[in-house]
Amino acid sequence: WERGGRLRHPWVFFSNGENNEISRMSHVMMSPSRQSNLELAYSLSTYSVIGAFCTEDNVPQCLLHINQELASLGLPVCIEASSPEGANLNAVPVLNAVYELLQIHRRDMCTLEEMEKEQMKKSSSLDLIQMTNSRLKDQLELSIREKSGLYETERQLQLKLKTLQRCLKGEKDEVQKLQSIIASRASQYSHDAKRKEREAAKLKERLSQLLIDRKDKKLAIDVLNNLGRSDGKRSQWRTTKATASHEGEMYKFLLCDYEESQKSLVLENAELKKVLQQMKKEMMHILSPCQPSSRGATADEELAESDEDEKTRDSSRDTLDQSCEHAREQLTNSIRLQWRKLRNHVEKLDNQASQVLHQMESNKDMIPFETHQDEMERMRHEVQQCKEFIHAQQQLLQQQLSTSFDDETAALLYDCYTLEEKERLKEEWRLFEEQKRNFEKERRNFTEAAIRLGREKQAFEEDRAAWFKNHFLNMTPFTNRRRCSSSDGQSSLSIISEPEIRMSVKAHKAKASTYTTFSTPKSSRSTAAPSTTDLYRTLRLIPDCSSSMHSNQVWQESSTNGDEDIRIKSKSRGLHCSDLDIFALGEDDSLT
Amino acid sequence: MNFSELFKQSNQLCKVSPDGKYLATCVQYRLVVRDVSTLQILHLYTCLDQVSHMEWSSDSLFILCAMYKRGLIQVWSLEQPDWHCKIDEGSIGLVSSRWSPDGRHILNTTEFHLRVTVWSLCTKAVSYMKYPKACQKGIDFSKDGGYMALAERRDCKDYVSIFVCEDWHLLRNFETETQDLSGLEWSPNGCVLAVWDSCLEYKVLLYSLDGRLLSTYSAYEWSLGVKCVSWSPSSQFLAIGSYDEKVRILNHITWGKIAQFEHPASIDNTKAEGNFVLSVPELPHPDEICAPPIQIPVVKPDPDRANPKIGVSVLAFSSDSRYLASRNDNMATAVWVWDMQKMSLEAVLEQTAAVRCFQWDPRHPRLALCTGNSKLYLWSPRGCVSVQVPAEGGFQVQSLSWHCSGDFLILLGKDQLCLCYMDAEQEENTSCRHCENV
């Protein structure tokens, strides 16, 4: 009981809450299995003790009481006695009620447990909070104490400051006082000194007066015989003239000295001027050849300036002897100008030199270590990059070769690589097609022409046969009628004179070139020779015309020049066409 | 280098006549005149008392012997040994006596600086100059002897009077812009008078012969100022040594500062500017040349004493104005030599003892110095040399002076003297030997 009570009410300890250890201990003890056992024991013991609740005598009361209790618990079941005496109970409702009660009990136990847990948690957190609180309280106290201490020190410091300020004021006052004392003392001292000095002077005066008054006998000079002056002159009387001469001599002396110093200064000046001139000359010498080349655009300006300088220099030289201020200024100005120029020039040269040096350094074999390192690093980097690139390429290639992914992407990739080539190929293909077409056309023309030739030949044969037959028949008496009919048909060939034949040839040619009205002359009755030449010509012309359709115009124009030319031209063209058909187009283009 | 035998002298009174022919020494109350070349005694004069000051007249014909205690002056003639002259200043006393530049007048300054009495040996005439100022250097004659500048003090103001030495005619009298004039000095060409204030104020004034103020120079305020002033023989530079341990050089055209020489305790390469620095300690190595950096011992002056031992107190230009020697009082063992062309430090001559005296050779750029021991030290641009004086009885060189020809030196001991002859060739040799060291 004791133990059970202790275990059932762990919060008692918690609330007493000495330390966490106990709570933890109780926690450990509260393992679920043991708890249930203990509960069982508890209930058993309770039962055994309160076994006197229901006896055989008070069953109805007990029932009533229990019913009431159950009702108060909200259980609708009423336990009834199966018999009026109540010895036996109705089992079902009782069991139900017991079950309900057990359920309730279990639920309560669960809740209780949870609450205990929560309580534990809360208590621990409370503990923590309390601890924190106490710590904070301590801190607060500490800081309060500190604060008070600081207040105290501040107060003390302020007090000290005040006293120090007072001291400072006092010291300042004292310093002022001392200063004033010093000043007064100084003035007093100087006054005293002056007084003393005056007194001394007075005393001295008096002493000398006394001495003079006494007519000191001892005060004497005893010379055997007077000496002559060191310069051999006789001593002079003191006169105003002498005074004036002294003055004059003094001034003469001073003047001499000044003259001398002036002379030396002039000499020095001249010397310096000479140096300046030389410097300037050298400067100009140095500057003049480089300036036009280096300055370029400003060369004219510079030249003008130097001219000016020259002028000023000349003028300064002219006036050098006069040593007038103007000339000096000019000289110094020009020198200054030159100097500035020289300085600029030198600076520029310096810059250039440094640049050149830099370049040389970078170009030299003996490159500085750092540059070398940098360069090496850079190159290494580049090599690395290249390697990576190559690697990537290889990978891609391999992927392409051992392609495992779908053909579409592969094709796409392939297309990517061969697009350009394809294009080129297509172009060439197109060209080739065109040429082929041309060639086909030519061949067709040629075959057509051959066919036509064959037909014409046949016609000619027929004509000849007819002519022979006619001729043969002419020998017969009905010649006139026959002749008349034939002259009607072949008028163009038979009647026209020589130049007209030429013209007709031209017409034929034109017809041949235009192609549409190409036909062999039907009459070959006049002479065989002209018609064959014509035929040849035509035959030769055909491939040319077909290959260069668009050059007809040129052809027609040039054809007017003369027969011979045409022939040569056509010949050469024919040659071209047959041999180098592919290039024919291009050449024609260039010709047109 | 040769040395003469020792001669007696007293009060370090030993002077060579301006023409360089005679050597006058005082031994107690006797005046001995010797021929410089033979060192034979030419004349022997007997004074009335122990001589406290002795001076040759400018024409080397007369010698002035002053006995300040008795207020007496005796003048002796070389040409007429039996000629005599005695000047008695009487009860007024005597503190200083000197020849006028013409050698026919004697200027006596009486006690309390009451007056300057000018005695004429030609006419026996006497004239007075009142109110002379008691200061570092109150009287100065111009180099050609034409003029005399005299510092005066009247009504608590400083004045300068310029007299014509020929007849003591007062040429100019002007008030100077000084609080307490301390000294004046003519430029060697006699045209400019440098006047400087007492050490309480750094002020140097430059006056023309006719009394015009040419320029005023002040380097700083509120500190002890000028300690010494020296003209270069060419009148081109005016060197001013001051209590701030610096030498400032003024030029003669603008009277502005053109250079400033400092005296640092440690010298490194940058300050020496590539020149060598000499150190001349005593035994065991008689002379030693040290390359910079070197340290120079510094004595801290007592701040409570008057005239603190600090600052540049001695300045001397070489005869050709090429070098300037200076001594800084708190580094008494070192003499600094400056090159006036490069305006830089040429050498530092460091000794083990304090330098007593140094003087430039009047002909050559050669510096002689002594430190109160038995050695003579010489420096020239070619090197330096130290010479032991071969005399018995511990002859210690207290002071020295050059003969005007630069051929020999007079070395003064406590009561003896000795002549040191410069053998030109030998000197050269020794110099060369030291040059090698350089």
Side-chain angles (χ1 to χ4, degrees), chain A residues 264-430:
Chain A
S264 71
L265 283 175
V266 163
L267 226 76
E268 209 177 312
N269 243 335
E271 222 29 45
L272 288 173
K273 266 181 194 166
K274 220 185 280 173
V275 170
L276 268 182
Q277 292 282 8
Q278 197 188 340
M279 238 169 79
K280 204 184 133 184
K281 213 190 277 176
E282 274 168 24
M283 265 190 225
M284 280 166 73
H285 181 70
I286 291 165
L287 285 178
S288 51
C290 350
Q291 269 170 4
S293 58
S294 59
R295 301 259 171 113
T298 55
D300 294 340
E301 201 180 319
E302 297 283 341
L303 228 74
E305 267 180 38
S306 62
D307 280 353
E308 209 170 282
D309 290 342
E310 195 80 38
K311 253 183 262 168
T312 54
R313 194 180 61 161
D314 289 343
S315 67
S316 66
R317 190 175 287 157
D318 293 340
T319 51
L320 189 75
D321 297 331
Q322 299 165 21
S323 76
C324 87
E325 241 169 71
H326 185 60
R328 199 180 59 204
E329 259 172 39
Q330 266 186 343
L331 183 73
T332 45
N333 273 343
S334 69
I335 285 284
R336 224 170 265 160
L337 206 78
Q338 291 286 342
W339 172 242
R340 216 169 296 147
K341 268 190 227 165
L342 186 71
R343 204 182 50 194
N344 287 341
H345 187 67
V346 166
E347 273 171 11
K348 208 171 60 198
L349 280 181
D350 225 36
N351 282 344
Q352 280 176 357
S354 67
Q355 274 176 7
V356 165
L357 209 73
H358 194 70
Q359 279 175 358
M360 270 172 72
E361 265 176 12
S362 59
N363 289 340
K364 250 191 301 185
D365 288 338
M366 283 182 59
I367 31 172
F369 187 67
E370 284 171 30
T371 327
H372 184 80
Q373 286 283 74
D374 286 354
E375 200 69 15
M376 283 295 284
E377 197 61 36
R378 203 169 59 79
M379 285 175 107
R380 258 182 220 137
H381 192 67
E382 250 172 53
V383 165
Q384 189 65 32
Q385 271 184 342
C386 286
K387 270 183 187 168
E388 275 172 15
F389 190 67
I390 287 164
H391 190 68
Q393 289 266 346
Q394 275 179 342
Q395 242 174 1
L396 279 174
L397 219 69
Q398 273 176 356
Q399 274 177 0
Q400 213 171 25
L401 285 174
S402 62
T403 182
S404 54
F405 45 83
D406 54 335
D407 291 346
E408 211 169 297
T409 30
L412 195 74
L413 268 170
Y414 189 75
D415 277 354
C416 286
Y417 293 116
T418 55
L419 191 66
E420 205 177 335
E421 271 180 55
K422 259 188 174 173
E423 284 291 316
R424 215 163 48 228
L425 215 70
K426 224 183 258 176
E427 185 71 22
E428 268 175 36
W429 189 252
R430 199 175 54 77

Side-chain angles (χ1 to χ4, degrees), chain B residues 319-320 359-364 366 402-408:
Chain B
S319 55
D320 55 358
Q359 196 178 24
W360 286 98
D361 183 332
R363 292 286 171 87
H364 311 104
R366 183 162 57 173
W402 284 93
H403 183 254
C404 55
S405 66
D407 291 340
F408 63 90

Side-chain angles (χ1 to χ4, degrees), chain B residues 208-362:
Chain B
S208 167
L209 178 60
D210 54 354
R212 281 180 299 119
L213 178 63
L214 295 174
S215 179
T216 307
Y217 178 74
S218 174
Y220 52 85
E221 283 180 297
W222 316 119
S223 183
L224 289 180
V226 180
K227 200 158 189 180
C228 70
V229 169
S230 176
W231 285 95
S232 74
S234 60
S235 303
Q236 202 178 351
F237 305 115
L238 179 66
I240 306 164
S242 53
Y243 279 91
D244 65 345
E245 305 176 53
K246 281 171 192 160
V247 177
R248 290 175 176 81
I249 310 290
L250 307 189
N251 71 77
H252 73 304
I253 294 169
T254 63
W255 302 112
K257 185 182 82 178
I258 52 168
Q260 177 171 305
F261 301 147
E262 294 178 27
H263 295 75
S266 64
I267 299 158
D268 51 24
N269 293 324
T270 55
K271 273 167 191 157
E273 283 178 10
N275 292 320
F276 62 89
V277 174
L278 297 169
S279 180
V280 192
E282 289 180 42
L283 296 171
H285 307 292
D287 42 71
E288 197 176 300
I289 294 148
C290 297
I294 61 161
Q295 284 283 333
I296 295 162
V298 179
V299 180
K300 243 195 161 180
D302 187 355
D304 294 331
R305 282 239 183 115
N307 302 317
K309 285 214 167 193
I310 188 170
V312 180
S313 64
V314 188
L315 285 168
F317 279 95
S318 65
S319 55
D320 55 358
S321 299
R322 171 77 199 265
Y323 299 101
L324 171 70
S326 67
R327 194 188 72 180
N328 188 12
D329 278 353
N330 51 339
M331 305 172 185
T333 57
V335 173
W336 306 65
V337 181
W338 309 90
D339 190 325
M340 292 304 288
Q341 281 182 1
K342 297 181 202 156
M343 289 290 173
S344 64
L345 182 62
E346 176 77 19
V348 178
L349 315 175
E350 195 197 347
Q351 318 294 327
T352 46
V355 175
R356 294 286 175 94
C357 175
F358 59 86
Q359 196 178 24
W360 286 98
D361 183 332

Side-chain angles (χ1 to χ4, degrees), chain A residues 194 197 204-205 211 216 218-220 222 224-228 238 243 246-247 250-251 257-258, chain B residues 83-86 88 91-92 102 104 112 114 121-122 130 153 156 167-169 171-172 191 212:
Chain A
K194 269 184 187 169
E197 212 179 306
K204 274 183 191 175
E205 193 81 18
L211 284 168
D216 200 340
K218 276 175 90 181
L219 180 79
D222 172 24
L224 188 68
N225 47 2
N226 289 355
L227 297 172
R238 285 196 182 195
T243 313
H246 282 316
E247 285 276 315
M250 181 197 76
Y251 281 123
D257 181 65
Y258 279 125
Chain B
W83 182 88
H84 63 86
C85 168
K86 193 181 85 177
D88 194 342
S91 48
I92 199 164
D102 66 350
R104 295 293 179 273
F112 307 116
L114 276 181
L121 300 185
C122 302
K130 275 179 132 188
R153 183 83 177 175
C156 308
D167 56 359
W168 305 108
H169 170 74
L171 190 69
R172 282 286 185 279
C191 289
R212 281 180 299 119

Side-chain angles (χ1 to χ4, degrees), chain A residues 32-59:
Chain A
S33 58
R34 269 185 88 174
Q35 196 183 5
S36 60
N37 286 346
L38 288 168
E39 265 171 35
L40 198 68
Y42 168 71
S43 56
L44 280 171
S45 65
T46 317
Y47 182 70
S48 63
V49 173
I50 321 169
F53 171 62
C54 182
T55 55
E56 279 167 13
D57 309 328
N58 62 352
V59 167

Side-chain angles (χ1 to χ4, degrees), chain B residues 43-95:
Chain B
H43 301 287
L44 192 70
Y45 306 99
T46 308
C47 299
L48 291 169
D49 199 354
Q50 185 165 352
V51 180
S52 40
H53 176 73
M54 183 262 283
E55 195 178 325
W56 282 93
S57 69
S58 59
D59 52 6
S60 306
L61 293 176
F62 301 96
I63 303 169
L64 174 155
C65 291
M67 292 142 274
Y68 291 145
K69 276 180 195 164
R70 291 177 62 151
L72 262 180
I73 284 167
Q74 281 190 296
V75 183
W76 306 102
S77 165
L78 246 66
E79 283 180 336
Q80 302 162 273
D82 43 352
W83 182 88
H84 63 86
C85 168
K86 193 181 85 177
I87 299 169
D88 194 342
E89 281 289 344
S91 48
I92 199 164
L94 184 67
V95 291

